[in-house]
Amino acid sequence: MKTEEEELKIIADDKWLQPYAAAINGRHRHAIDKEAELIHGQSSISDFATGYLYFGLHASPLEWTFREWAPNATKIYLIGDFNDWTETPEYELHRIAGTNNWELRVPIDAMHHGQLYKMKVYWDGGSGERIPAWADRVVQDSKTKIFSAQIWHPAHPYKFKIDKFVPCREPLLIYECHVGMAQDKQGIGSYDEFREKILPRVKKDGYNCIQVMAIQEHPYYGSFGYHVSSFFAPSSRFGTPDELRRMIDEAHSMGIAVIMDLVHSHAAKNEVEGLGNLAGDPNQYFYPGDRHVHPAWDSLCFDYGKNEVLHFLLSNCKYWLDSYKFDGFRFDGVTSMLYYDHGLGKAFTQYGDYYDGREDDNAICYLTLAQKLIHQVNPNAITIAEDVSGMPGLAMPFKDGGYGFDYRLAMNIPDFWIKLIKEKKDEQWKPSTIMWELTNRRKDEKTVSYAESHDQALVGDKTIIFRLIDADMYWHFKIEDRNANVDRGIALHKMIRLITLSTMNGAYLNFMGNEFGHPEWIDFPREGNGWSYKYARRQWHLVDDNELCYHFLGDFDRSMIDTIKEEPRFAETAIKMIWHDDGDQVVAFMRGELLFVFNFNPVKSFTDYGFRVPVGRYKIVLDSDAEDFGGYAQNDDEVEHDTMYSKELEPEGKGWVRLYLPARTALVLKHNK
């Protein structure tokens, strides 16, 4: 912790932030003071964030204990299968003296594993059935579609084989995925199916982390998991809690970390299933007035200024780490949390935009404390901020004046690729612009680079492969029936991914299926499509078919990942520019002993194209034009390239290397001294 006299590193390292030192210092102090207020002499914020062990339903050898925070309630009953869904005296909760917490204790034989239950809550002027806020298992009746909490207390709960797992970050390679739509069938996939069928693909493809969407229970499947109703319950659509635990355990046994999309930026408006009106007070968990409803998402905004809400959310972070062994979180909608206006329609073109008094300091404080908590619980945990605004310090350590995330999403990159493909002819692609967009980041913060995520695959948008090839994917994606448009799309798809991967400074992300150019969009079952699952799945049979071009893209993706893994600590090595020429549309750079060369020119191939590199021998280790990747094998990749002696370059330890650069081709060469 910094003293009042010491300048925070974020300010000391960036003179342009010095005019905003008061705001930065104020936010830093706010987090320190709030932590002290919350822990009340406890040893740490981790000790404070244990609400899931107190609230909700818990079994001991002799009795069940149920507790709920409901300040506005006047009477609460537990109703369910165990009492024919009627209000009975033995299942009536009692307010704990001096608190807003309610409690019920019943003998252990009064309720049993698998039984359904809810609360019947009364308040002045009304009443209603509610699912408890801390419920850890929620299921939907297949006929009535009604959600209920379910007692989850199996006689033989799943026991993790791997208690402590340390993720690999050299580099961190993230496979963004959705359990329900991960199968080829037209239906909802399960945790078990994902474990059996998808994890082996992730392992084979070289990714060392999965980022799982839609884990927290959500009433509407088509929300992609972003309208959460029960924050402590893993979605029962995909299976049981123990099946999720087994899936995570299996991933760990394969060396794959598992992080989840954590939605703390808003909540579903549902009242019966969710927190919208738990006990007659719509503002119990959420901001009042104009800030109550998110104007773009039609959801509710948490009141991060309430200590009880902080307790709920911080406990939720610890719960997923503790109970399911998740390795961290990608925090959804961080931009929406940071600003009163949710960042909507705001350009963020100058530092003043981050310190103009329209920031939610309560939310900033929560995010900061969450990062501190998560890394106390698991020092190896991974946290990622989804922020489009560019708020300085998100991925800096708290001690330096940052908010403590490990990474921030480089959200400018997919937007750049879309804009480039849509608005510029191939002849207008400038390597200097591409490199600027891919490397334009704060030096003191690690980022997650990606060409596209699930956002670009949703209905109404287009994936990169669809923007490049469009309808020809349907008619000309057989290997023997390719046309020039397909060839162009395949070539650029590989180059876009390789240059995005090779310029990362922390991690790389891909959405499942996009590595092999999955066709079409994602569209969940809804009234407008006849409740069809046709587009809410992944068609793995396409990449497995050696007569189709998809496997070229999948094989290249696997090879490019294997290639960068060969360079020790790849993500930490500096990018050293070797050459760029916007006229030729050629760029070359080195990271460690790997030389990356890209010729984006759509029509010109270059013979004996030379530039200065460290003296030695260079061998092609990856060629996007190789026949195995759907190319035309115009280079002899077995030839080794020695640097040519140059007297004027000798003192620098450099020489000339000359290469053949086919049009629309990327090469990676390994340097041997």
Side-chain angles (χ1 to χ4, degrees):
M1 184 175 69
K2 299 291 183 182
T3 65
E4 296 296 333
E5 293 76 23
E6 292 180 285
E7 186 175 42
L8 292 169
K9 189 174 186 296
I10 188 174
I11 303 170
D13 288 353
D14 188 344
K15 66 178 181 179
W16 299 105
L17 285 176
Q18 290 174 2
Y20 311 103
I24 295 170
N25 284 319
R27 292 174 187 174
H28 189 75
R29 172 52 58 184
H30 184 191
I32 293 171
D33 293 344
K34 177 58 71 173
E35 180 181 13
E37 177 186 341
L38 293 175
I39 63 178
H40 291 300
Q42 293 172 297
S43 60
S44 68
I45 192 74
S46 177
D47 291 332
F48 165 76
T50 55
Y52 60 96
L53 299 176
Y54 179 80
F55 291 107
L57 183 63
H58 301 280
S60 68
L62 298 178
E63 65 180 4
W64 292 94
T65 304
F66 176 80
R67 299 187 186 95
E68 188 76 25
W69 173 57
N72 202 50
T74 57
K75 188 182 294 186
I76 303 177
Y77 292 91
L78 215 59
I79 58 175
D81 294 338
F82 39 78
N83 61 4
D84 294 326
W85 298 90
T86 59
E87 301 166 21
T88 53
E90 60 268 34
Y91 290 94
E92 182 180 358
L93 278 71
H94 301 280
R95 188 188 288 267
I96 300 173
T99 74
N100 289 316
N101 301 330
W102 296 72
E103 183 180 75
L104 169 69
R105 294 176 183 269
V106 295
I108 194 66
D109 61 357
M111 297 188 292
H112 303 284
H113 171 70
Q115 290 183 319
L116 304 180
Y117 69 99
K118 290 182 182 178
M119 299 187 300
K120 182 63 181 290
V121 186
Y122 288 84
W123 56 86
D124 287 340
S127 65
E129 293 185 359
R130 297 290 186 265
I131 291 178
W134 299 77
D136 58 7
R137 170 74 168 164
V138 176
V139 297
Q140 184 180 27
D141 187 278
S142 60
K143 295 180 180 179
T144 66
K145 305 302 181 185
I146 293 174
F147 285 87
S148 301
Q150 185 180 46
I151 299 171
W152 190 256
H153 187 60
H156 303 287
Y158 184 82
K159 294 183 179 180
F160 284 96
K161 298 183 182 72
I162 299 175
D163 185 52
K164 294 185 183 297
F165 176 79
V166 179
C168 173
R169 303 197 195 200
E170 298 181 5
L172 184 65
L173 301 165
I174 304 169
Y175 199 79
E176 185 186 33
C177 52
H178 183 286
V179 170
M181 60 170 288
Q183 301 305 315
D184 217 319
K185 66 182 180 182
Q186 294 192 38
I188 299 177
S190 68
Y191 298 124
D192 280 347
E193 287 175 314
F194 192 94
R195 171 178 55 81
E196 294 167 359
K197 299 179 181 180
I198 308 306
L199 283 179
R201 289 183 182 271
V202 176
K203 175 68 174 177
K204 180 180 177 182
D205 288 345
Y207 293 88
N208 54 28
C209 177
I210 56 173
Q211 177 182 307
V212 193
M213 309 172 67
I215 291 295
Q216 295 167 293
E217 190 59 86
H218 46 291
Y220 180 46
Y221 188 48
S223 74
F224 228 143
Y226 292 123
H227 277 201
V228 174
S229 54
S230 295
F231 286 79
F232 290 84
S235 179
S236 60
R237 287 182 180 87
F238 314 137
T240 70
D242 282 0
E243 287 166 352
L244 173 58
R245 291 185 174 99
R246 187 178 180 189
M247 185 190 91
I248 294 170
D249 209 16
E250 182 72 12
H252 288 166
S253 74
M254 295 180 174
I256 299 171
V258 186
I259 62 177
M260 66 178 280
D261 263 9
L262 190 70
V263 184
H264 283 179
S265 48
H266 61 135
K269 294 174 73 174
N270 301 48
E271 295 186 357
V272 175
E273 298 90 357
L275 305 176
N277 185 13
L278 193 72
D281 179 9
N283 302 322
Q284 180 177 335
Y285 282 92
F286 307 105
Y287 279 126
D290 293 342
R291 300 181 62 194
H292 187 69
V293 177
H294 195 293
W297 297 344
D298 193 33
S299 52
L300 304 178
C301 301
F302 283 108
D303 185 345
Y304 306 103
K306 281 186 178 178
N307 287 356
E308 295 89 349
V309 174
L310 292 180
H311 187 229
F312 180 82
L313 295 176
L314 290 170
S315 295
N316 193 236
C317 294
K318 185 174 180 180
Y319 167 77
W320 293 109
L321 297 172
D322 181 31
S323 296
Y324 287 88
K325 307 294 184 185
F326 277 98
D327 299 296
F329 309 99
R330 177 263 208 183
F331 277 71
D332 169 70
V334 168
T335 306
S336 176
M337 300 171 70
L338 293 175
Y339 308 97
Y340 291 141
D341 60 7
H342 308 293
L344 298 173
K346 196 171 180 179
F348 297 101
T349 57
Q350 56 186 350
Y351 274 171
D353 293 335
Y354 307 114
Y355 309 101
D356 60 5
R358 294 190 294 172
E359 299 78 40
D360 187 343
D361 285 347
N362 291 331
I364 291 172
C365 180
Y366 162 67
L367 288 169
T368 305
L369 293 180
Q371 306 320 302
K372 188 168 187 179
L373 160 74
I374 291 164
H375 292 99
Q376 278 184 6
V377 176
N378 180 1
N380 297 305
I382 299 162
T383 60
I384 303 169
E386 187 210 24
D387 170 48
V388 72
S389 74
M391 170 71 79
L394 267 183
M396 279 190 74
F398 176 68
K399 64 180 177 61
D400 295 334
Y403 303 157
F405 284 93
D406 296 304
Y407 305 90
R408 62 191 309 156
L409 286 177
M411 300 186 72
N412 65 298
I413 296 177
D415 290 343
F416 165 72
W417 285 124
I418 291 170
K419 185 178 178 66
L420 186 66
I421 294 169
K422 284 176 61 177
E423 299 180 4
K424 299 289 185 181
K425 295 179 180 179
D426 295 9
E427 294 81 0
Q428 297 174 315
W429 287 27
K430 294 182 178 180
S432 61
T433 302
I434 292 172
M435 290 298 293
W436 166 256
E437 290 289 347
L438 296 180
T439 60
N440 180 23
R441 54 211 174 202
R442 295 182 63 84
K443 295 179 180 179
D444 48 14
E445 299 187 53
K446 291 182 178 179
T447 59
V448 179
S449 294
Y450 62 109
E452 54 187 344
S453 68
H454 74 274
D455 286 326
Q456 288 72 45
L458 290 170
V459 65
D461 207 337
K462 286 185 177 182
T463 59
I464 285 177
I465 198 68
F466 237 102
R467 291 186 184 279
L468 292 170
I469 300 178
D470 217 308
D472 280 347
M473 290 195 71
Y474 296 113
W475 311 111
H476 297 285
F477 231 57
K478 280 192 173 183
I479 292 174
E480 73 271 12
D481 190 32
R482 293 157 57 182
N483 61 19
N485 188 44
V486 168
D487 282 346
R488 168 185 178 265
I490 289 175
L492 289 177
H493 191 272
K494 292 180 289 188
M495 296 182 72
I496 286 169
R497 278 175 150 63
L498 179 59
I499 199 168
T500 303
L501 170 73
S502 60
T503 51
M504 68 174 171
N505 79 324
Y508 174 77
L509 177 142
N510 164 70
F511 179 67
M512 66 175 183
N514 284 1
E515 72 277 7
F516 66 83
H518 194 283
E520 300 165 336
W521 48 83
I522 298 168
D523 189 12
F524 283 90
R526 55 186 174 85
E527 188 175 4
N529 65 15
W531 302 103
S532 170
Y533 288 90
K534 181 178 180 180
Y535 299 111
R537 60 184 179 129
R538 296 283 91 176
Q539 300 181 59
W540 304 107
H541 68 274
L542 296 174
V543 71
D544 293 340
D545 189 339
N546 287 331
E547 294 185 1
L548 300 177
C549 294
Y550 297 100
H551 82 88
F552 290 144
L553 301 178
D555 292 345
F556 179 79
D557 195 84
R558 185 181 311 115
S559 294
M560 76 174 188
I561 285 176
D562 288 344
T563 299
I564 63 105
K565 282 183 175 180
E566 291 298 315
E567 180 63 32
R569 309 188 74 84
F570 179 84
E572 298 178 15
T573 61
I575 297 174
K576 297 180 180 179
M577 287 301 301
I578 300 298
W579 174 260
H580 82 264
D581 187 314
D582 285 346
D584 292 342
Q585 295 181 269
V586 173
V587 64
F589 58 89
M590 290 191 74
R591 298 195 76 162
E593 302 302 325
L594 295 180
L595 171 63
F596 296 86
V597 185
F598 296 84
N599 178 14
F600 283 98
N601 200 301
V603 293
K604 290 183 180 179
S605 298
F606 299 99
T607 302
D608 291 333
Y609 201 94
F611 35 75
R612 297 174 295 180
V613 294
V615 169
R617 176 168 290 183
Y618 290 80
K619 173 85 165 56
I620 295 175
V621 292
L622 184 65
D623 181 354
S624 70
D625 188 49
E627 189 175 358
D628 288 346
F629 308 136
Y632 291 93
Q634 298 171 80
N635 253 312
D636 183 351
D637 293 346
E638 296 304 314
V639 172
E640 296 187 341
H641 303 268
D642 291 319
T643 52
M644 300 174 63
Y645 173 77
S646 174
K647 187 174 181 179
E648 67 272 16
L649 294 178
E650 186 179 11
E652 302 175 34
K654 293 183 178 180
W656 288 91
V657 67
R658 298 191 180 277
L659 304 171
Y660 175 56
L661 305 180
R664 287 201 187 109
T665 294
L667 301 174
V668 184
L669 299 96
K670 180 68 178 289
H671 172 227
N672 292 302
K673 299 177 182 178

